[in-house]
Amino acid sequence: MAETKIAKQYNPFGVEERLYQDWLQKGYFHANEDTEKKTYSIVIPPPNATDILHLGHALNNTLQDVMIRWQKMLGKETCWLPGTDHAGIATQVVVEKLVAKEGTSRRELGRDEFVKRVWDYVSDRKGRILNQLKKIGCSCDWERTRFTFDEQLSEAVKEVFIRLHEKNLIYKGKYIVNWCPRCQTSLSDDEVEHQNYASKLWFIKYKLKGQDQYLIAATTRPETMLGDTALAVNPKDERYQKYIGKTAILPILDRELKIVADDYVDPEFGTGVVKITPAHDPNDFEISQRHDLEKINILNPDGTLNENAGKFKGFDTKAARKAVLAELEKKGLLDKIEDYDLTAGTCYRCSTIVEPYLSEQWFVRMKPLAEPAIEAVKSGQLRFHPEHWEKTYLYWTENIRDWCISRQLWWGHRIPVYYCRDCNHEMIAKVKPEKCEKCNSADIYQEEDVLDTWFSSWLWPFSTFGWPSQTRELETFYPTNSLFTASEIIFLWVARMVMAGYEFTGKLCFNDVYIHGTVRDAQGRKMSKSLGNGIDPIEVINQYGADSLRLSLILATPEGQDPNIAMNTFELGRNFANKLWNASRFILMNLGDELTDGELESIDDIRELPLMDRWILSRLNETIKKTTEQLQSFRFNAAAKLLYEFIWHDYCDWYIELAKGRLYGEESAEDQVKAKRVLGFCLDGILKLLHPFAPFVTEELWHLLHRRDEGDGSIMEARYPRANEKLIDIKLEEMMARLQRVVYAIRNIRAEMNVPPSKKAEVHLKITDPALRETLEQNQNYLINLGKIEKLVIGDDLKKPQLSASAVIPSAEIFIPLAGLIDVDTERSRLQKELENITKLLEKTRKKLANREFVEQAPKEVVDKQREKEQEYEEVVQKINANLEQLTGW
RNA sequence: GGGUGGUUAGCUCAGUUGGUUAGAGCACCUGCUUUACACGCAGGGGGUCACUGGUUCGAAUCCAGUACCGCCCACCA
């Protein structure tokens, strides 16, 4: 065997950086918009510009990279467009905290200065996460990197706002919105997270005007009574018929409250009387609209009570609740208190409890936009993987509500609306109008609010390619093919992109949506900063290498479920990469530079290959076929497992082991050539098959195998293997499996009878099936190697040698003479155990066959199979018994 | 409350149209410096497939229900 410089262990460090730089330099990742080829494009789910990489990103982007690299090797012009999101509220919150540390605040700095500070911060951090993606090996087209706040993307945002406004799909109105008192902005429904907590239900007594009677209303938020303007009962509720239209008196503030009847009220709940607070409860707001009730806002934007709260002005809601309850108690107006579990909406960015709050906001009418998006799924044009997510998508799109798009933030796309200070005229425009179109005044100011972050991200699949300009890249790469994301943003992002795609480009923006799980820790908990259970992917790469990270993540992520990941999970991928490395190392040591590129890539000109060669080629092609099928249906885990199984257990455990004797010249010179050809051909296929999953190690090995200098070409330019069905031979695989069973049996006897590997044994094979006997005879040299055999005797009518251990498999008996070595008790219990096993199986089979209904109704093949088994088991049982009997004679 | 995913070996999971001796990786036990790999090789132990009923000749697999875990959605005060 030739000496080699190749290390015994794969060392990814150095390799990865070098190869990635080379790929970048050669421009392999850049997509050509003038291509004639079929295209395949993906837009990245843009991470927040200031994010740092976590395992969720690592998984998400590894999957995209597998898809892109695979498609590229299938011959497509691939485009994977990367970029980041300005993440309005999230980023603003972070910078607010930073300036707070400096002892100042957003308001103190003023809008212009604060926005500048955010820009500074973002510019400093932006691109960090994209650089981290490079470490994973992502083949993004970096020349097309976009940011949702880029000038061109901002133009797209304005264009969209104006178009929707012209179609009357955008409107401004006073509504109850979710208000975060800390961020002091509205939030869309989808930005509110619900949390359960134990609370109380307070029963408050409302005195009827001019009478000494009370109506009692239950509430979960007693402090909001300060904004009550009515009481409501169900019109059919007989208990309260007589009070409808009467007046009650609000405790503490002594405001007069109308008593109204509304179907919304559930007579079963509480007392059947509801206090109505139109400005601070969405339902109450609806009721107040129907009954034309006064709406009294008792909150300041920061969540403290305002002048409408009388003496409680300035209290925060918590203090107000305490004070109000104390006063009610004192006045004897608190009827009772019950325990009650309820949910509170909290801000998805800062977890502050959100207040329903009446304010003026901008909305998008979603119903008309949702219609084609619903149809896309129903018609099968838009597919989810796993499929069940389409239900979630449909549930939301079919029950869609208008989208509140204005945010009272400073970091974001400012709404392109201008007002005249003189006549209040409203103008929608991309740039500030010089003069009021109505009164000619030059005193014009822009709307203060900015747009929801998602108002730019829902345009991402086409704004990034230059829309609204009809660019060449838009034409070539849009619509995109697939989208990879997590389930949390099916509503926030996926569905809205589909809507925007149809509305503004008339096209479905992608056909396949792959939803992967959320990465969890070993105990199944979400990884989070507060728990401190997160794993830093960069740390993983530093410790194990990028290929290990990628392979491990994919191998550990069950299809459509959440993967549980611990640091040692990454040993899985590392070991696999190392196994591949060493298998290749072995091949390279033995092949030298004997094979040409052509020989590595084709096997057609070799005739009359021996069993094992035809077997590994059959397995290889079967693996190619199945892997391709799995990739086509977005089953990455299954695809990776197929490759793992084939490479490790078929190619390494069996084929390489079988080939060793041939390489060492134990067969003919001609056979040695065949072995080398097949070894090399399979390895070349393996590297290509695995490249999308483990780009670095496969590239490195491919160069070594093809004896290419550094930087000379890339495995990426090779064609992904296609299955040659003619080479798949199931019959032959079955014969090989029988040969393997013989080897297993020999090894089992050796191990259980404590025959050390260093001691070669004599083996007698009594084979009654001629086909098997012939195969074993032809391959006896390999049996000798695999079983560490000194002398092999094969025949159809051998006698069991005295003092030998035995094993029985269908149509074969294995004897290993062990004079002096054999322990009779061990051998007896070994045989007895096996006898028990087979007897159980035999009984089970006999029972089935004794069942007349089974024999009559089951398909013939199934019954025949059981008959065959019965025979097999009978034969084995009988032979084991004979061997046992012989033992007792000792 | 509605929806949805899960429950198979100590742990993480396969098991694609019902018929396999129910599998793999990790962990565990026993051997092994066998000239690719100890990040390895060989052998082995370990499961009443959550529970209950049903359909069927036959159920881990199909149906119904129960329990537990998880996620998403939800304006019942």
Side-chain angles (χ1 to χ4, degrees):
Chain A
M1 189 180 299
E3 279 298 307
T4 179
K5 289 173 294 202
I6 304 169
K8 258 178 123 170
Q9 277 190 355
Y10 173 54
N11 178 7
F13 314 110
V15 173
E16 296 179 353
E17 181 65 21
R18 188 184 82 229
L19 290 178
Y20 200 85
Q21 286 311 319
D22 181 56
W23 291 335
L24 283 181
Q25 224 168 44
K26 298 278 171 47
Y28 288 126
F29 304 156
H30 182 58
N32 175 10
E33 65 267 24
D34 293 318
T35 185
E36 301 280 303
K37 293 194 242 174
K38 274 193 175 177
T39 61
Y40 193 96
S41 57
I42 298 178
V43 290
I44 205 170
N48 293 353
T50 58
D51 263 358
I52 53 166
L53 197 73
H54 60 243
L55 276 181
H57 295 123
L59 173 63
N60 174 259
N61 288 288
T62 296
L63 293 167
Q64 292 176 76
D65 197 46
V66 170
M67 180 54 89
I68 284 287
R69 285 177 184 269
W70 175 54
Q71 290 292 336
K72 187 181 178 67
M73 291 178 77
L74 290 177
K76 308 239 179 88
E77 184 71 20
T78 54
C79 179
W80 182 10
L81 187 139
T84 49
D85 194 298
H86 69 283
I89 188 167
T91 309
Q92 177 161 329
V93 168
V94 172
V95 178
E96 277 175 358
K97 282 181 187 159
L98 283 179
V99 298
K101 270 190 196 154
E102 296 169 21
T104 177
S105 73
R106 143 165 93 107
R107 291 183 201 285
E108 220 170 280
L109 290 168
R111 184 164 190 151
D112 289 349
E113 178 58 23
F114 181 77
V115 169
K116 191 179 163 294
R117 296 290 290 271
V118 182
W119 263 116
D120 288 347
Y121 177 76
V122 169
S123 310
D124 185 39
R125 304 287 170 117
K126 198 174 84 176
R128 178 196 292 202
I129 188 163
L130 299 181
N131 280 323
Q132 291 178 313
L133 291 180
K134 292 177 183 171
K135 281 199 178 290
I136 299 181
C138 293
S139 55
C140 303
D141 184 352
W142 300 109
E143 291 169 49
R144 297 187 196 278
T145 305
R146 298 286 182 269
F147 178 46
T148 51
F149 229 153
D150 284 346
E151 203 172 307
Q152 182 256 313
L153 274 76
S154 303
E155 280 302 302
V157 165
K158 288 184 211 166
E159 174 78 22
V160 159
F161 187 94
I162 290 166
R163 284 200 196 181
L164 288 175
H165 191 268
E166 279 168 359
K167 284 184 82 173
N168 193 29
L169 291 175
I170 280 187
Y171 63 92
K172 187 161 93 169
K174 246 192 164 184
Y175 290 92
I176 291 263
V177 294
N178 308 294
W179 186 265
C180 172
R182 202 222 61 88
C183 302
Q184 297 196 27
T185 178
S186 60
L187 299 169
S188 71
D189 292 336
D190 306 289
E191 287 169 324
V192 175
E193 287 173 356
H194 297 274
Q195 282 171 24
N196 294 312
Y197 67 100
S199 180
K200 310 271 186 216
L201 201 53
W202 288 272
F203 291 76
I204 300 174
K205 293 161 83 169
Y206 289 77
K207 190 173 183 300
L208 288 166
K209 187 182 178 187
Q211 294 181 43
D212 201 19
Q213 271 192 59
Y214 295 86
L215 280 182
I216 299 171
T219 179
T220 54
R221 304 189 55 203
E223 69 281 7
T224 63
M225 63 157 289
L226 300 168
D228 284 358
T229 57
L231 295 178
V233 298
N234 190 294
K236 296 191 191 80
D237 192 335
E238 290 181 2
R239 293 172 295 176
Y240 301 116
Q241 287 283 343
K242 56 187 174 207
Y243 302 112
I244 297 169
K246 299 259 168 63
T247 303
I249 305 294
L250 180 67
I252 304 175
L253 294 183
D254 294 331
R255 186 184 300 139
E256 293 200 350
L257 306 177
K258 244 167 97 178
I259 298 169
V260 301
D262 197 287
D263 285 329
Y264 163 77
V265 180
D266 176 4
E268 305 293 317
F269 189 89
T271 59
V273 180
V274 183
K275 64 188 257 324
I276 302 300
T277 321
H280 300 286
D281 182 282
N283 295 308
D284 294 5
F285 177 80
E286 297 283 321
I287 292 171
S288 76
Q289 294 288 80
R290 288 196 283 272
H291 299 276
D292 199 22
L293 303 171
E294 197 186 350
K295 302 170 184 66
I296 299 175
N297 181 2
I298 59 164
L299 288 179
N300 292 311
D302 66 359
T304 59
L305 303 204
N306 64 21
E307 60 284 352
N308 291 329
K311 61 184 171 187
F312 302 108
K313 181 184 169 190
F315 284 43
D316 65 27
T317 49
K318 210 173 154 190
R321 174 176 298 184
K322 216 173 150 187
V324 165
L325 286 172
E327 182 146 350
L328 288 173
E329 179 82 73
K330 205 172 82 189
K331 293 190 165 161
L333 294 174
L334 204 50
D335 183 59
K336 61 175 175 177
I337 303 171
E338 286 178 0
D339 286 334
Y340 193 66
D341 291 333
L342 78 164
T343 57
T346 58
C347 173
Y348 82 134
R349 279 303 154 199
C350 69
S351 294
T352 305
I353 291 184
V354 299
E355 296 288 341
Y357 187 71
L358 189 64
S359 61
E360 189 154 81
Q361 304 287 345
W362 292 87
F363 295 85
V364 178
R365 279 182 230 285
M366 297 300 276
K367 266 241 150 58
L369 299 179
E371 276 160 23
I374 292 166
E375 189 48 34
V377 162
K378 291 200 164 161
S379 67
Q381 286 184 77
L382 178 61
R383 297 171 294 264
F384 280 84
H385 310 273
E387 201 178 5
H388 70 256
W389 287 110
E390 73 176 37
K391 285 185 194 162
T392 306
Y393 171 95
L394 282 175
Y395 181 81
W396 188 75
T397 46
E398 287 175 342
N399 295 286
I400 199 150
R401 286 185 283 165
D402 285 354
W403 176 17
C404 174
I405 52 168
S406 46
R407 296 288 180 276
Q408 290 65 48
L409 302 170
W410 288 349
W411 176 243
H413 298 278
R414 202 148 161 188
I415 292 178
V417 172
Y418 297 85
Y419 302 100
C420 170
R421 227 172 231 116
D422 289 328
C423 70
N424 275 335
H425 179 58
E426 181 184 291
M427 291 161 279
I428 315 288
K430 282 193 182 175
V431 292
K432 185 176 176 183
E434 303 242 335
K435 284 184 173 145
C436 173
E437 5 176 77
K438 209 168 153 193
C439 74
N440 255 347
S441 161
D443 198 358
I444 310 285
Y445 68 97
Q446 188 172 3
E447 167 70 58
E448 294 288 322
D449 291 358
V450 301
L451 289 161
D452 180 8
T453 289
W454 301 99
F455 199 85
S456 56
S457 10
W458 75 327
L459 314 176
W460 187 250
F462 46 92
S463 65
T464 49
F465 289 116
W467 188 92
S469 301
Q470 285 304 311
T471 59
R472 186 86 179 101
E473 40 267 78
L474 191 66
E475 203 180 304
T476 307
F477 298 116
Y478 183 83
T480 65
N481 294 80
S482 52
L483 182 87
F484 290 71
T485 191
S487 61
E488 298 106 77
I489 52 178
I490 290 178
F491 309 141
L492 286 170
W493 194 46
V494 180
R496 285 178 183 156
M497 279 192 287
V498 175
M499 295 180 200
Y502 277 120
E503 178 65 21
F504 305 115
T505 71
K507 289 174 185 164
L508 177 58
C509 49
F510 36 70
N511 293 301
D512 291 287
V513 178
Y514 180 81
I515 303 288
H516 61 252
T518 308
V519 179
R520 296 169 176 280
D521 72 4
Q523 284 101 52
R525 300 172 304 178
K526 263 191 176 172
M527 289 189 177
S528 71
K529 273 182 205 154
S530 53
L531 277 174
N533 60 346
I535 293 177
D536 176 5
I538 300 303
E539 178 56 32
V540 175
I541 291 173
N542 291 338
Q543 209 170 317
Y544 297 99
D547 288 328
S548 304
L549 170 75
R550 298 167 60 116
L551 288 167
S552 305
L553 280 176
I554 292 184
L555 286 167
T557 300
E559 235 66 73
Q561 277 168 247
D562 295 345
N564 293 4
I565 306 283
M567 205 56 185
N568 70 2
T569 303
F570 299 101
E571 289 172 10
L572 176 62
R574 179 199 59 186
N575 295 354
F576 184 36
N578 189 242
K579 188 72 182 177
L580 177 71
W581 178 262
N582 272 290
S584 306
R585 181 166 174 262
F586 173 80
I587 307 303
L588 292 165
M589 284 176 183
N590 285 285
L591 251 54
D593 51 4
E594 290 165 42
L595 299 189
T596 63
D597 281 359
E599 286 170 326
L600 288 167
E601 279 156 17
S602 140
I603 203 80
D604 296 344
D605 56 327
I606 303 187
R607 305 248 179 275
E608 292 176 29
L609 293 172
L611 172 79
M612 66 192 66
D613 290 346
R614 283 181 288 139
W615 171 76
I616 196 68
L617 291 172
S618 176
R619 290 290 306 126
L620 172 66
N621 282 286
E622 221 179 322
T623 303
I624 295 169
K625 189 178 167 209
K626 288 185 180 161
T627 303
T628 300
E629 283 167 3
Q630 299 294 12
L631 285 173
Q632 278 163 347
S633 47
F634 291 81
R635 294 169 61 110
F636 299 97
N637 173 263
K641 279 182 173 167
L642 281 166
L643 295 178
Y644 182 97
E645 183 74 15
F646 171 73
I647 293 168
W648 201 307
H649 298 302
D650 291 333
Y651 187 68
C652 292
D653 288 351
W654 284 96
Y655 189 70
I656 288 183
E657 290 308 318
L658 283 164
K660 278 181 179 169
R662 306 165 70 192
L663 292 173
Y664 304 151
E666 289 172 14
E667 302 287 325
S668 63
E670 192 193 350
D671 182 69
Q672 192 178 37
V673 171
K674 285 179 183 172
K676 287 183 177 179
R677 287 286 303 274
V678 177
L679 277 169
F681 174 77
C682 287
L683 181 60
D684 184 66
I686 283 169
L687 295 176
K688 290 189 283 202
L689 284 168
L690 202 60
H691 178 260
F693 299 89
F696 294 108
V697 67
T698 50
E699 177 79 284
E700 183 76 354
L701 289 169
W702 185 84
H703 269 85
L704 290 169
L705 180 65
H706 286 260
R707 301 177 313 284
R708 288 178 185 244
D709 294 333
E710 212 175 295
D712 177 11
S714 165
I715 190 173
M716 267 182 266
E717 295 172 309
R719 281 302 283 258
Y720 205 71
R722 274 164 294 186
N724 181 350
E725 306 242 4
K726 282 183 291 187
L727 294 181
I728 299 176
D729 185 342
I730 301 299
K731 277 244 149 56
L732 181 131
E733 288 190 25
E734 276 165 13
M735 184 52 83
M736 179 68 185
R738 295 177 77 182
L739 186 151
Q740 288 173 320
R741 279 188 77 170
V742 172
V743 174
Y744 286 133
I746 294 169
R747 287 171 173 170
N748 177 270
I749 294 175
R750 294 188 57 119
E752 300 222 339
M753 297 310 290
N754 294 315
V755 182
S758 53
K759 176 146 175 63
K760 300 231 166 167
E762 186 176 324
V763 173
H764 296 223
L765 299 177
K766 180 176 172 185
I767 317 289
T768 49
D769 176 45
L772 179 62
R773 191 169 64 242
E774 196 189 335
T775 303
L776 291 172
E777 275 165 358
Q778 281 169 1
N779 293 284
Q780 50 183 303
N781 284 352
Y782 313 117
L783 290 181
I784 286 169
N785 284 337
L786 296 176
K788 314 249 179 254
I789 296 169
E790 186 174 36
K791 183 181 162 205
L792 181 64
V793 185
I794 303 176
D796 58 354
D797 196 22
L798 296 173
K799 280 235 163 72
K800 182 184 177 188
Q802 279 293 325
L803 300 175
S804 63
S806 66
V808 181
I809 58 177
S811 62
E813 277 186 275
I814 295 119
F815 304 116
I816 301 186
L818 289 169
L821 273 174
I822 192 161
D823 181 276
V824 180
D825 289 339
T826 311
E827 175 66 358
R828 184 180 296 119
S829 64
R830 209 175 62 80
L831 293 184
Q832 252 154 6
K833 205 176 81 190
E834 185 62 13
L835 184 65
E836 250 169 62
N837 279 339
I838 305 294
T839 306
K840 261 186 224 156
L841 295 174
L842 177 60
E843 277 163 10
K844 217 166 126 186
T845 307
R846 278 181 174 160
K847 208 174 142 194
K848 269 189 188 175
L849 288 167
N851 181 347
R852 182 177 300 169
E853 282 168 307
F854 170 72
V855 178
E856 282 168 4
Q857 291 183 51
K860 190 170 176 300
E861 312 90 75
V862 175
V863 178
D864 285 349
K865 204 172 163 190
Q866 289 301 320
R867 292 228 164 89
E868 255 173 62
K869 275 189 191 169
E870 187 188 29
Q871 271 191 355
E872 253 176 36
Y873 296 148
E874 274 171 355
E875 178 205 330
V876 172
V877 163
Q878 179 247 318
K879 286 178 179 166
I880 295 177
N881 266 325
N883 290 333
L884 260 174
E885 232 165 80
Q886 204 209 5
L887 263 190
T888 53
W890 292 3

